Amino acid sequence: DEMDSIIRAIALDEGVVRGGKGCNIVKERQKKSSLSQIDKGNIDWAIKNNVDIICQSFVEDQEDIREIRKYLNNRCDADIWAKIETEKGIDNIIDIIKEVDTVVIGRGDLIPESNILKAVKLENIIINECIKNKKNIIIGTHILDSMKKGNQPNLNETESISFFIEKNIKGFLLAGETSIGVAPVKTVKFLKDAIEYFEGEI
């Protein structure tokens, strides 16, 4: 139960931990054998409300997706997306790609699961495999972090958007910029304008 999985830790750096936040302990994630009741309830809600997409987080092998398809049992025709956030998921990326319509690269967790330098290499592995297999790619998180506080986007972020569009990325997934950022509308508008501009240039 939950009490068996409590970890006591000492914080070495100060900061704020908001409610509902997780903690990355590399290679120590417990593998669940099946969908939880909460997962099943969410899928039932998705079916009832005719959603277009069902996205599974922390996909590490093709069985994670097959369980969803089995539970769906052809009750809806939503696209199935896999969010890849760990090295294990990348090790199994070829098998995972066969089971999904789109791959989301979850950089927010991929960085602490590896490190910020290795994450770039792993990100490119996913992109290259998806391009090779004609699968859609979504870049998730760390798109416009500087805009969380209402600041203007910086050059690095803008160059990154351009780079991914040149790679034929299907889309971007904002996270903190719109969930806790002070200028969500401004951020979405800039991203939309940037996409349209760079797509026109390319």
Side-chain angles (χ1 to χ4, degrees):
D1 63 26
E2 289 187 10
M3 296 303 292
D4 293 330
S5 58
I6 289 176
I7 297 174
R8 294 184 180 276
I10 297 173
L12 300 179
D13 294 308
E14 65 179 24
V16 176
V17 180
R18 300 188 313 277
K21 297 300 288 182
C23 177
N24 294 75
I25 303 176
V26 181
K27 298 181 181 178
E28 290 298 324
R29 181 171 296 100
Q30 291 182 335
K31 180 67 177 175
K32 294 182 179 179
S33 59
S34 61
L35 294 171
S36 69
Q37 288 304 120
I38 293 175
D39 293 332
K40 291 177 180 178
N42 289 337
I43 292 173
D44 291 338
W45 183 93
I47 294 168
K48 182 179 177 181
N49 289 276
N50 298 313
V51 301
D52 298 315
I53 299 161
I54 294 175
C55 182
Q56 173 73 337
S57 296
F58 283 103
V59 174
E60 294 193 317
D61 57 47
Q62 59 189 2
E63 286 304 315
D64 292 336
I65 301 301
R66 287 177 176 173
E67 284 185 14
I68 293 174
R69 292 197 183 278
K70 182 178 178 181
Y71 185 73
L72 283 171
N73 194 25
N74 296 317
R75 290 181 290 161
C76 76
D77 58 359
D79 284 355
I80 306 297
W81 292 12
K83 196 174 180 196
I84 309 297
E85 307 173 75
T86 66
E87 290 191 57
K88 183 177 178 182
I90 292 163
D91 289 342
N92 295 318
I93 190 64
I94 295 173
D95 291 332
I96 292 169
I97 284 172
K98 295 174 184 175
E99 301 290 333
V100 299
D101 302 290
T102 295
V103 170
V104 180
I105 303 177
R107 304 191 299 177
D109 282 293
L110 185 57
I111 292 169
E113 286 285 332
S114 52
N115 64 59
I116 198 163
L117 295 175
K118 192 174 184 182
V120 175
K121 172 189 171 184
L122 298 175
E123 184 178 71
N124 281 322
I125 290 172
I126 299 173
I127 291 171
N128 291 335
E129 287 298 332
C130 286
I131 290 172
K132 191 188 306 181
N133 290 276
K134 297 182 171 59
K135 292 290 181 176
N136 291 330
I137 314 157
I138 305 291
I139 302 297
T141 65
H142 295 301
I143 309 298
L144 291 164
D145 279 349
S146 63
M147 297 190 74
K148 284 182 186 177
K149 296 181 179 178
N151 299 327
Q152 292 296 315
N154 64 44
L155 180 60
N156 295 341
E157 291 167 338
T158 309
E159 284 178 334
S160 181
I161 293 168
S162 173
F163 166 80
F164 287 125
I165 289 173
E166 286 182 13
K167 286 275 193 178
N168 291 316
I169 297 304
K170 182 70 174 178
F172 297 93
L173 176 66
L174 296 172
E177 300 97 327
T178 50
S179 62
I180 61 171
V182 301
V185 176
K186 178 181 176 183
T187 305
V188 172
K189 185 180 186 308
F190 176 81
L191 180 57
K192 180 175 181 292
D193 290 345
I195 291 169
E196 290 175 352
Y197 177 80
F198 290 126
E199 283 184 340
E201 290 292 305
I202 294 167

Short mmCIF file of all heavy atoms in Angstrom, two decimals, residues 8-67:
data_model
loop_
_atom_site.label_atom_id
_atom_site.label_comp_id
_atom_site.label_asym_id
_atom_site.label_seq_id
_atom_site.Cartn_x
_atom_site.Cartn_y
_atom_site.Cartn_z
N ARG A 8 11.79 8.69 3.15
CA ARG A 8 12.17 9.88 3.91
C ARG A 8 13.45 10.44 3.30
O ARG A 8 14.37 9.70 2.98
CB ARG A 8 12.41 9.53 5.37
CG ARG A 8 11.14 9.09 6.10
CD ARG A 8 11.41 8.85 7.57
NE ARG A 8 10.22 8.43 8.27
CZ ARG A 8 9.30 9.25 8.76
NH1 ARG A 8 9.46 10.55 8.62
NH2 ARG A 8 8.24 8.78 9.38
N ALA A 9 13.48 11.76 3.13
CA ALA A 9 14.64 12.39 2.50
C ALA A 9 14.95 13.71 3.17
O ALA A 9 14.10 14.32 3.81
CB ALA A 9 14.36 12.62 1.02
N ILE A 10 16.20 14.12 3.04
CA ILE A 10 16.63 15.43 3.54
C ILE A 10 16.89 16.32 2.33
O ILE A 10 17.63 15.95 1.42
CB ILE A 10 17.91 15.30 4.39
CG1 ILE A 10 17.64 14.44 5.63
CG2 ILE A 10 18.43 16.68 4.78
CD1 ILE A 10 18.89 14.13 6.43
N ALA A 11 16.27 17.50 2.32
CA ALA A 11 16.45 18.45 1.21
C ALA A 11 17.79 19.17 1.36
O ALA A 11 18.09 19.73 2.42
CB ALA A 11 15.31 19.44 1.17
N LEU A 12 18.60 19.14 0.32
CA LEU A 12 19.90 19.81 0.35
C LEU A 12 19.81 21.23 -0.21
O LEU A 12 20.66 22.07 0.06
CB LEU A 12 20.91 19.01 -0.47
CG LEU A 12 21.17 17.57 0.02
CD1 LEU A 12 22.18 16.88 -0.89
CD2 LEU A 12 21.67 17.58 1.46
N ASP A 13 18.77 21.49 -1.01
CA ASP A 13 18.56 22.82 -1.57
C ASP A 13 17.15 23.28 -1.22
O ASP A 13 16.22 22.48 -1.17
CB ASP A 13 18.72 22.81 -3.10
CG ASP A 13 20.15 22.51 -3.51
OD1 ASP A 13 21.05 23.19 -3.01
OD2 ASP A 13 20.35 21.59 -4.33
N GLU A 14 17.02 24.57 -0.98
CA GLU A 14 15.69 25.08 -0.65
C GLU A 14 14.84 25.23 -1.90
O GLU A 14 15.34 25.27 -3.02
CB GLU A 14 15.81 26.44 0.06
CG GLU A 14 16.39 27.54 -0.81
CD GLU A 14 16.48 28.86 -0.07
OE1 GLU A 14 16.53 28.84 1.17
OE2 GLU A 14 16.48 29.90 -0.74
N GLY A 15 13.55 25.27 -1.71
CA GLY A 15 12.63 25.43 -2.82
C GLY A 15 11.22 25.11 -2.37
O GLY A 15 10.97 24.79 -1.20
N VAL A 16 10.29 25.20 -3.31
CA VAL A 16 8.89 24.94 -3.02
C VAL A 16 8.46 23.68 -3.74
O VAL A 16 8.70 23.52 -4.93
CB VAL A 16 8.01 26.12 -3.49
CG1 VAL A 16 6.54 25.81 -3.27
CG2 VAL A 16 8.41 27.40 -2.75
N VAL A 17 7.84 22.78 -2.99
CA VAL A 17 7.26 21.57 -3.58
C VAL A 17 5.75 21.71 -3.51
O VAL A 17 5.18 21.71 -2.42
CB VAL A 17 7.71 20.29 -2.83
CG1 VAL A 17 7.08 19.06 -3.48
CG2 VAL A 17 9.23 20.17 -2.84
N ARG A 18 5.13 21.86 -4.66
CA ARG A 18 3.69 22.02 -4.70
C ARG A 18 2.98 20.68 -4.54
O ARG A 18 3.55 19.62 -4.86
CB ARG A 18 3.25 22.67 -6.03
CG ARG A 18 3.86 24.04 -6.27
CD ARG A 18 3.24 24.70 -7.50
NE ARG A 18 3.16 23.81 -8.65
CZ ARG A 18 4.15 23.57 -9.49
NH1 ARG A 18 5.31 24.15 -9.29
NH2 ARG A 18 3.99 22.76 -10.51
N GLY A 19 1.74 20.72 -4.09
CA GLY A 19 0.94 19.52 -3.97
C GLY A 19 0.78 18.82 -5.30
O GLY A 19 0.67 19.46 -6.35
N GLY A 20 0.81 17.49 -5.27
CA GLY A 20 0.61 16.72 -6.49
C GLY A 20 1.87 16.52 -7.32
O GLY A 20 1.83 15.90 -8.38
N LYS A 21 3.01 17.04 -6.83
CA LYS A 21 4.25 16.88 -7.59
C LYS A 21 4.86 15.51 -7.30
O LYS A 21 4.68 14.93 -6.25
CB LYS A 21 5.26 17.97 -7.22
CG LYS A 21 4.80 19.37 -7.56
CD LYS A 21 4.52 19.55 -9.03
CE LYS A 21 5.78 19.58 -9.85
NZ LYS A 21 5.51 19.81 -11.30
N GLY A 22 5.62 15.02 -8.28
CA GLY A 22 6.26 13.71 -8.13
C GLY A 22 7.73 13.86 -7.82
O GLY A 22 8.26 14.96 -7.68
N CYS A 23 8.40 12.71 -7.71
CA CYS A 23 9.83 12.67 -7.42
C CYS A 23 10.46 11.60 -8.30
O CYS A 23 9.98 10.47 -8.35
CB CYS A 23 10.06 12.35 -5.95
SG CYS A 23 11.80 12.19 -5.51
N ASN A 24 11.51 11.97 -9.02
CA ASN A 24 12.19 11.01 -9.89
C ASN A 24 13.29 10.29 -9.13
O ASN A 24 14.23 10.92 -8.64
CB ASN A 24 12.81 11.72 -11.10
CG ASN A 24 11.76 12.32 -12.00
OD1 ASN A 24 11.17 13.34 -11.68
ND2 ASN A 24 11.52 11.68 -13.13
N ILE A 25 13.15 8.98 -9.01
CA ILE A 25 14.23 8.15 -8.46
C ILE A 25 14.61 7.19 -9.58
O ILE A 25 13.90 6.23 -9.87
CB ILE A 25 13.78 7.38 -7.21
CG1 ILE A 25 13.28 8.38 -6.15
CG2 ILE A 25 14.91 6.52 -6.66
CD1 ILE A 25 12.71 7.75 -4.92
N VAL A 26 15.71 7.50 -10.24
CA VAL A 26 16.08 6.80 -11.46
C VAL A 26 16.17 5.30 -11.26
O VAL A 26 16.78 4.81 -10.31
CB VAL A 26 17.42 7.35 -12.00
CG1 VAL A 26 17.81 6.65 -13.29
CG2 VAL A 26 17.30 8.85 -12.23
N LYS A 27 15.54 4.55 -12.17
CA LYS A 27 15.55 3.08 -12.21
C LYS A 27 14.88 2.44 -11.01
O LYS A 27 15.00 1.25 -10.78
CB LYS A 27 16.98 2.55 -12.36
CG LYS A 27 17.64 2.99 -13.66
CD LYS A 27 19.03 2.43 -13.80
CE LYS A 27 19.68 2.90 -15.10
NZ LYS A 27 21.06 2.41 -15.25
N GLU A 28 14.14 3.22 -10.23
CA GLU A 28 13.47 2.65 -9.06
C GLU A 28 11.94 2.73 -9.19
O GLU A 28 11.23 2.55 -8.22
CB GLU A 28 13.90 3.39 -7.78
CG GLU A 28 15.33 3.11 -7.38
CD GLU A 28 15.57 1.65 -7.07
OE1 GLU A 28 14.66 1.00 -6.51
OE2 GLU A 28 16.66 1.15 -7.40
N ARG A 29 11.44 3.00 -10.39
CA ARG A 29 9.99 3.08 -10.57
C ARG A 29 9.40 1.69 -10.50
O ARG A 29 9.87 0.77 -11.15
CB ARG A 29 9.65 3.73 -11.91
CG ARG A 29 8.16 3.85 -12.15
CD ARG A 29 7.85 4.67 -13.37
NE ARG A 29 8.32 6.03 -13.19
CZ ARG A 29 9.45 6.49 -13.69
NH1 ARG A 29 10.21 5.71 -14.41
NH2 ARG A 29 9.84 7.73 -13.47
N GLN A 30 8.37 1.53 -9.70
CA GLN A 30 7.70 0.24 -9.60
C GLN A 30 6.87 0.01 -10.85
O GLN A 30 6.13 0.87 -11.29
CB GLN A 30 6.80 0.18 -8.36
CG GLN A 30 7.58 0.16 -7.07
CD GLN A 30 6.66 0.04 -5.88
OE1 GLN A 30 5.50 0.41 -5.93
NE2 GLN A 30 7.19 -0.51 -4.81
N LYS A 31 6.99 -1.18 -11.41
CA LYS A 31 6.24 -1.53 -12.61
C LYS A 31 4.89 -2.09 -12.21
O LYS A 31 4.80 -3.10 -11.51
CB LYS A 31 7.03 -2.56 -13.42
CG LYS A 31 6.33 -2.99 -14.70
CD LYS A 31 6.25 -1.86 -15.68
CE LYS A 31 5.62 -2.31 -16.99
NZ LYS A 31 5.43 -1.22 -17.91
N LYS A 32 3.83 -1.42 -12.61
CA LYS A 32 2.49 -1.91 -12.33
C LYS A 32 2.13 -2.97 -13.37
O LYS A 32 2.39 -2.81 -14.55
CB LYS A 32 1.48 -0.76 -12.35
CG LYS A 32 1.69 0.24 -11.23
CD LYS A 32 0.65 1.33 -11.26
CE LYS A 32 0.86 2.31 -10.11
NZ LYS A 32 -0.12 3.41 -10.13
N SER A 33 1.48 -4.03 -12.92
CA SER A 33 1.16 -5.13 -13.81
C SER A 33 -0.08 -4.87 -14.63
O SER A 33 -0.33 -5.54 -15.61
CB SER A 33 0.99 -6.42 -13.00
OG SER A 33 -0.06 -6.25 -12.05
N SER A 34 -0.89 -3.90 -14.22
CA SER A 34 -2.12 -3.66 -14.96
C SER A 34 -2.59 -2.22 -14.74
O SER A 34 -2.05 -1.51 -13.88
CB SER A 34 -3.21 -4.63 -14.52
OG SER A 34 -3.49 -4.46 -13.14
N LEU A 35 -3.58 -1.80 -15.50
CA LEU A 35 -4.16 -0.48 -15.32
C LEU A 35 -4.82 -0.39 -13.96
O LEU A 35 -5.49 -1.31 -13.52
CB LEU A 35 -5.20 -0.22 -16.41
CG LEU A 35 -4.69 -0.11 -17.85
CD1 LEU A 35 -5.88 -0.07 -18.81
CD2 LEU A 35 -3.83 1.13 -18.03
N SER A 36 -4.65 0.73 -13.28
CA SER A 36 -5.30 0.94 -11.98
C SER A 36 -6.78 1.24 -12.20
O SER A 36 -7.22 1.53 -13.32
CB SER A 36 -4.64 2.09 -11.23
OG SER A 36 -4.93 3.32 -11.89
N GLN A 37 -7.53 1.21 -11.12
CA GLN A 37 -8.95 1.54 -11.22
C GLN A 37 -9.14 2.99 -11.64
O GLN A 37 -10.07 3.33 -12.37
CB GLN A 37 -9.66 1.29 -9.88
CG GLN A 37 -9.84 -0.18 -9.55
CD GLN A 37 -10.58 -0.93 -10.65
OE1 GLN A 37 -10.05 -1.87 -11.23
NE2 GLN A 37 -11.82 -0.51 -10.93
N ILE A 38 -8.22 3.86 -11.19
CA ILE A 38 -8.28 5.27 -11.61
C ILE A 38 -8.05 5.36 -13.11
O ILE A 38 -8.75 6.10 -13.82
CB ILE A 38 -7.25 6.11 -10.83
CG1 ILE A 38 -7.63 6.19 -9.36
CG2 ILE A 38 -7.13 7.51 -11.44
CD1 ILE A 38 -6.62 6.90 -8.49
N ASP A 39 -7.05 4.62 -13.63
CA ASP A 39 -6.78 4.60 -15.08
C ASP A 39 -8.03 4.17 -15.84
O ASP A 39 -8.42 4.79 -16.84
CB ASP A 39 -5.63 3.65 -15.41
CG ASP A 39 -4.30 4.12 -14.86
OD1 ASP A 39 -4.12 5.33 -14.69
OD2 ASP A 39 -3.45 3.25 -14.59
N LYS A 40 -8.64 3.09 -15.37
CA LYS A 40 -9.82 2.56 -16.06
C LYS A 40 -10.98 3.56 -16.01
O LYS A 40 -11.70 3.73 -17.00
CB LYS A 40 -10.23 1.22 -15.43
CG LYS A 40 -9.23 0.11 -15.72
CD LYS A 40 -9.63 -1.19 -15.02
CE LYS A 40 -8.61 -2.29 -15.30
NZ LYS A 40 -8.96 -3.55 -14.58
N GLY A 41 -11.13 4.22 -14.87
CA GLY A 41 -12.17 5.23 -14.75
C GLY A 41 -11.94 6.39 -15.70
O GLY A 41 -12.88 6.90 -16.33
N ASN A 42 -10.67 6.79 -15.86
CA ASN A 42 -10.34 7.87 -16.79
C ASN A 42 -10.62 7.46 -18.24
O ASN A 42 -11.11 8.26 -19.04
CB ASN A 42 -8.86 8.26 -16.64
CG ASN A 42 -8.58 9.00 -15.35
OD1 ASN A 42 -9.48 9.59 -14.76
ND2 ASN A 42 -7.34 8.96 -14.90
N ILE A 43 -10.29 6.21 -18.56
CA ILE A 43 -10.55 5.73 -19.92
C ILE A 43 -12.05 5.65 -20.19
O ILE A 43 -12.53 6.03 -21.25
CB ILE A 43 -9.87 4.35 -20.15
CG1 ILE A 43 -8.35 4.52 -20.15
CG2 ILE A 43 -10.35 3.73 -21.47
CD1 ILE A 43 -7.59 3.21 -20.19
N ASP A 44 -12.81 5.18 -19.19
CA ASP A 44 -14.28 5.13 -19.34
C ASP A 44 -14.84 6.52 -19.58
O ASP A 44 -15.74 6.71 -20.41
CB ASP A 44 -14.92 4.50 -18.09
CG ASP A 44 -14.62 3.02 -17.96
OD1 ASP A 44 -14.30 2.38 -18.99
OD2 ASP A 44 -14.70 2.51 -16.82
N TRP A 45 -14.32 7.50 -18.83
CA TRP A 45 -14.76 8.90 -19.01
C TRP A 45 -14.42 9.37 -20.42
O TRP A 45 -15.22 10.04 -21.08
CB TRP A 45 -14.08 9.79 -17.98
CG TRP A 45 -14.53 11.22 -18.04
CD1 TRP A 45 -15.53 11.81 -17.32
CD2 TRP A 45 -13.99 12.26 -18.88
NE1 TRP A 45 -15.65 13.14 -17.66
CE2 TRP A 45 -14.72 13.45 -18.62
CE3 TRP A 45 -12.97 12.29 -19.83
CZ2 TRP A 45 -14.45 14.64 -19.26
CZ3 TRP A 45 -12.70 13.50 -20.50
CH2 TRP A 45 -13.44 14.65 -20.19
N ALA A 46 -13.23 9.01 -20.89
CA ALA A 46 -12.80 9.42 -22.23
C ALA A 46 -13.72 8.84 -23.31
O ALA A 46 -14.10 9.54 -24.25
CB ALA A 46 -11.35 8.96 -22.47
N ILE A 47 -14.09 7.58 -23.14
CA ILE A 47 -14.98 6.95 -24.10
C ILE A 47 -16.35 7.62 -24.10
O ILE A 47 -16.91 7.95 -25.15
CB ILE A 47 -15.13 5.44 -23.78
CG1 ILE A 47 -13.79 4.72 -24.00
CG2 ILE A 47 -16.23 4.81 -24.64
CD1 ILE A 47 -13.76 3.31 -23.44
N LYS A 48 -16.87 7.85 -22.90
CA LYS A 48 -18.20 8.47 -22.75
C LYS A 48 -18.24 9.86 -23.37
O LYS A 48 -19.26 10.29 -23.92
CB LYS A 48 -18.56 8.54 -21.27
CG LYS A 48 -19.94 9.12 -20.98
CD LYS A 48 -20.22 9.13 -19.49
CE LYS A 48 -21.58 9.78 -19.19
NZ LYS A 48 -21.85 9.82 -17.72
N ASN A 49 -17.13 10.57 -23.31
CA ASN A 49 -17.08 11.95 -23.79
C ASN A 49 -16.45 12.09 -25.18
O ASN A 49 -16.12 13.20 -25.60
CB ASN A 49 -16.35 12.83 -22.78
CG ASN A 49 -17.17 13.03 -21.51
OD1 ASN A 49 -18.02 13.91 -21.45
ND2 ASN A 49 -16.93 12.21 -20.49
N ASN A 50 -16.28 10.97 -25.86
CA ASN A 50 -15.83 10.96 -27.26
C ASN A 50 -14.52 11.73 -27.47
O ASN A 50 -14.41 12.55 -28.39
CB ASN A 50 -16.91 11.55 -28.17
CG ASN A 50 -18.18 10.74 -28.13
OD1 ASN A 50 -18.15 9.52 -28.23
ND2 ASN A 50 -19.32 11.41 -27.96
N VAL A 51 -13.54 11.49 -26.60
CA VAL A 51 -12.26 12.17 -26.78
C VAL A 51 -11.56 11.68 -28.04
O VAL A 51 -11.81 10.57 -28.52
CB VAL A 51 -11.33 11.98 -25.55
CG1 VAL A 51 -11.97 12.51 -24.28
CG2 VAL A 51 -10.93 10.54 -25.41
N ASP A 52 -10.70 12.53 -28.57
CA ASP A 52 -9.97 12.18 -29.79
C ASP A 52 -8.64 11.48 -29.51
O ASP A 52 -8.11 10.78 -30.37
CB ASP A 52 -9.68 13.45 -30.60
CG ASP A 52 -10.95 14.14 -31.06
OD1 ASP A 52 -11.86 13.44 -31.54
OD2 ASP A 52 -11.04 15.37 -30.92
N ILE A 53 -8.10 11.71 -28.30
CA ILE A 53 -6.76 11.21 -27.98
C ILE A 53 -6.73 10.64 -26.57
O ILE A 53 -7.28 11.24 -25.64
CB ILE A 53 -5.71 12.35 -28.07
CG1 ILE A 53 -5.65 12.94 -29.48
CG2 ILE A 53 -4.33 11.87 -27.62
CD1 ILE A 53 -5.00 14.31 -29.54
N ILE A 54 -6.09 9.50 -26.42
CA ILE A 54 -5.77 8.96 -25.09
C ILE A 54 -4.25 8.84 -25.02
O ILE A 54 -3.63 8.15 -25.84
CB ILE A 54 -6.43 7.59 -24.85
CG1 ILE A 54 -7.95 7.75 -24.82
CG2 ILE A 54 -5.91 6.95 -23.56
CD1 ILE A 54 -8.71 6.44 -24.71
N CYS A 55 -3.65 9.57 -24.08
CA CYS A 55 -2.19 9.60 -23.97
C CYS A 55 -1.76 8.94 -22.67
O CYS A 55 -2.21 9.34 -21.59
CB CYS A 55 -1.69 11.04 -24.03
SG CYS A 55 0.10 11.19 -23.96
N GLN A 56 -0.89 7.95 -22.77
CA GLN A 56 -0.37 7.25 -21.59
C GLN A 56 1.01 7.79 -21.24
O GLN A 56 1.90 7.85 -22.09
CB GLN A 56 -0.28 5.74 -21.88
CG GLN A 56 0.39 4.92 -20.79
CD GLN A 56 -0.48 4.75 -19.56
OE1 GLN A 56 -1.38 5.53 -19.30
NE2 GLN A 56 -0.21 3.73 -18.79
N SER A 57 1.19 8.21 -19.98
CA SER A 57 2.48 8.70 -19.52
C SER A 57 3.41 7.56 -19.13
O SER A 57 2.96 6.44 -18.85
CB SER A 57 2.29 9.62 -18.30
OG SER A 57 1.56 10.77 -18.65
N PHE A 58 4.70 7.84 -19.11
CA PHE A 58 5.73 6.90 -18.68
C PHE A 58 5.61 5.53 -19.35
O PHE A 58 5.69 4.49 -18.70
CB PHE A 58 5.72 6.74 -17.14
CG PHE A 58 6.37 7.89 -16.43
CD1 PHE A 58 5.60 8.86 -15.82
CD2 PHE A 58 7.75 8.02 -16.40
CE1 PHE A 58 6.18 9.94 -15.17
CE2 PHE A 58 8.35 9.09 -15.75
CZ PHE A 58 7.57 10.05 -15.15
N VAL A 59 5.41 5.53 -20.65
CA VAL A 59 5.36 4.27 -21.40
C VAL A 59 6.79 3.74 -21.51
O VAL A 59 7.69 4.44 -21.95
CB VAL A 59 4.75 4.49 -22.80
CG1 VAL A 59 4.86 3.21 -23.63
CG2 VAL A 59 3.30 4.93 -22.67
N GLU A 60 6.96 2.48 -21.09
CA GLU A 60 8.30 1.90 -21.11
C GLU A 60 8.41 0.66 -21.98
O GLU A 60 9.51 0.22 -22.29
CB GLU A 60 8.76 1.58 -19.68
CG GLU A 60 8.94 2.85 -18.85
CD GLU A 60 9.68 2.62 -17.55
OE1 GLU A 60 9.37 1.62 -16.87
OE2 GLU A 60 10.56 3.44 -17.21
N ASP A 61 7.29 0.08 -22.37
CA ASP A 61 7.31 -1.03 -23.32
C ASP A 61 5.95 -1.13 -23.99
O ASP A 61 4.99 -0.45 -23.61
CB ASP A 61 7.70 -2.35 -22.64
CG ASP A 61 6.78 -2.71 -21.49
OD1 ASP A 61 5.54 -2.63 -21.67
OD2 ASP A 61 7.28 -3.09 -20.42
N GLN A 62 5.87 -1.98 -25.01
CA GLN A 62 4.64 -2.07 -25.79
C GLN A 62 3.47 -2.61 -24.98
O GLN A 62 2.30 -2.32 -25.30
CB GLN A 62 4.87 -2.92 -27.04
CG GLN A 62 5.31 -4.34 -26.75
CD GLN A 62 5.73 -5.07 -28.02
OE1 GLN A 62 5.73 -4.50 -29.10
NE2 GLN A 62 6.10 -6.34 -27.87
N GLU A 63 3.74 -3.36 -23.92
CA GLU A 63 2.65 -3.89 -23.10
C GLU A 63 1.84 -2.78 -22.43
O GLU A 63 0.64 -2.94 -22.19
CB GLU A 63 3.19 -4.86 -22.04
CG GLU A 63 3.64 -6.20 -22.62
CD GLU A 63 2.53 -6.90 -23.39
OE1 GLU A 63 1.39 -6.93 -22.88
OE2 GLU A 63 2.80 -7.39 -24.50
N ASP A 64 2.51 -1.66 -22.12
CA ASP A 64 1.80 -0.52 -21.52
C ASP A 64 0.67 -0.05 -22.43
O ASP A 64 -0.40 0.34 -21.97
CB ASP A 64 2.77 0.64 -21.26
CG ASP A 64 3.78 0.33 -20.16
OD1 ASP A 64 3.47 -0.53 -19.32
OD2 ASP A 64 4.85 0.95 -20.15
N ILE A 65 0.92 -0.08 -23.73
CA ILE A 65 -0.09 0.36 -24.71
C ILE A 65 -1.09 -0.75 -24.98
O ILE A 65 -2.29 -0.50 -25.12
CB ILE A 65 0.59 0.82 -26.01
CG1 ILE A 65 1.58 1.97 -25.73
CG2 ILE A 65 -0.45 1.23 -27.04
CD1 ILE A 65 0.95 3.20 -25.11
N ARG A 66 -0.61 -1.97 -25.05
CA ARG A 66 -1.52 -3.09 -25.33
C ARG A 66 -2.58 -3.24 -24.24
O ARG A 66 -3.71 -3.63 -24.52
CB ARG A 66 -0.71 -4.38 -25.47
CG ARG A 66 0.07 -4.45 -26.78
CD ARG A 66 0.90 -5.69 -26.88
NE ARG A 66 1.57 -5.79 -28.18
CZ ARG A 66 2.48 -6.70 -28.49
NH1 ARG A 66 2.83 -7.61 -27.57
NH2 ARG A 66 3.03 -6.72 -29.69
N GLU A 67 -2.22 -2.93 -23.00
CA GLU A 67 -3.19 -3.00 -21.91
C GLU A 67 -4.32 -1.99 -22.13
O GLU A 67 -5.49 -2.28 -21.87
CB GLU A 67 -2.51 -2.73 -20.57
CG GLU A 67 -1.70 -3.90 -20.05
CD GLU A 67 -1.15 -3.64 -18.67
OE1 GLU A 67 -1.60 -2.68 -18.02
OE2 GLU A 67 -0.26 -4.40 -18.25
#
